[in-house]
Each structure stands twice: as structure tokens, then as C-alpha cells.
Amino acid sequence: MPLTSSVSEDGKVVTIAVSGRFDFNLHREFREAYEQAPAEGVRYVVDLAGTEYIDSSALGMLLLLRERAGGDQADVEIRNCSPEIKRILTISNFHHLFKIS
């Protein structure tokens, strides 16, 4: 399964894990994963440990998640990026918009 999501017991942390290709084919699943949580007061973690490829549509999906999570007040962390994906996120200036670890 290329995308899995889970919500912490207290409902305050939504973790979305993507494996393989993070591209437009995951658009619907990715949106459904974050729409299950309340729009405010939730911390989001996008775990890219198993992600091999990311394209511009995935960057757009991350921006939509950030917007839903509160824009500039959003608490969204992108974690476990490969060096290549981290480079793409940095070139796209996503390190100014997200916590990247």
C-alpha cells in the first residue's frame, strides 16, 4: 500500500506515510488521509521514509495540506526524507514552509 495514515489516540497527531512514488496517483488518498482530522489543532507528520520519488503534484498536495492545517500557523513536519527528496524540498523552498527532518 503506497499510503497509510494513522491518528494518535488523543486525535491530535495525524501521520501520513508514503512509500514508493509520491505523485498525482496518490492525490485522492492523500487528501482523504488529512481530511479525516479536524481542520484546526492538529499536528501533521508526513513520513517519507519509504518514498523513492516525488514530483510537482506531490509538492502541491503538501501545500494543500499546509493550507488545511492553518497556513502560516500550520504544524506540519515532513520527516525521514532521502537526501534526494530533501534536496527537491530545499530547492522548492519548502524548508521555509515546513519542518523538515
Side-chain angles (χ1 to χ4, degrees), residues 11-31:
K12 295 186 182 224
V13 180
V14 175
T15 302
I16 303 169
V18 179
S19 61
R21 296 177 63 89
F22 189 9
D23 59 19
F24 186 75
N25 291 321
L26 292 179
H27 178 73
R28 184 177 54 81
E29 288 177 71
F30 189 78
R31 187 183 70 234

Side-chain angles (χ1 to χ4, degrees), residues 10-75:
D10 63 4
K12 295 186 182 224
V13 180
V14 175
T15 302
I16 303 169
V18 179
S19 61
R21 296 177 63 89
F22 189 9
D23 59 19
F24 186 75
N25 291 321
L26 292 179
H27 178 73
R28 184 177 54 81
E29 288 177 71
F30 189 78
R31 187 183 70 234
E32 289 174 355
Y34 65 75
E35 286 183 345
Q36 66 181 316
E40 296 179 12
V42 176
R43 180 172 175 259
Y44 292 91
V45 176
V46 179
D47 188 341
L48 300 181
T51 306
E52 300 166 355
Y53 171 84
I54 187 169
D55 71 2
S56 60
S57 64
L59 298 177
M61 288 184 255
L62 290 169
L63 291 173
L64 289 172
L65 167 61
R66 181 179 182 272
E67 193 64 31
R68 168 154 170 101
D72 290 340
Q73 284 73 44
D75 188 0

Side-chain angles (χ1 to χ4, degrees), residues 22 46 48 54-55 58-60 62 77-101:
F22 189 9
V46 179
L48 300 181
I54 187 169
D55 71 2
L59 298 177
L62 290 169
E77 177 184 0
I78 302 170
R79 70 168 59 152
N80 298 320
C81 303
S82 69
E84 180 63 25
I85 290 175
K86 192 168 188 174
R87 188 176 69 81
I88 291 168
L89 294 172
T90 302
I91 289 171
S92 303
N93 287 321
F94 272 44
H95 59 291
H96 295 297
L97 303 173
F98 298 91
K99 296 175 194 166
I100 299 175
S101 57

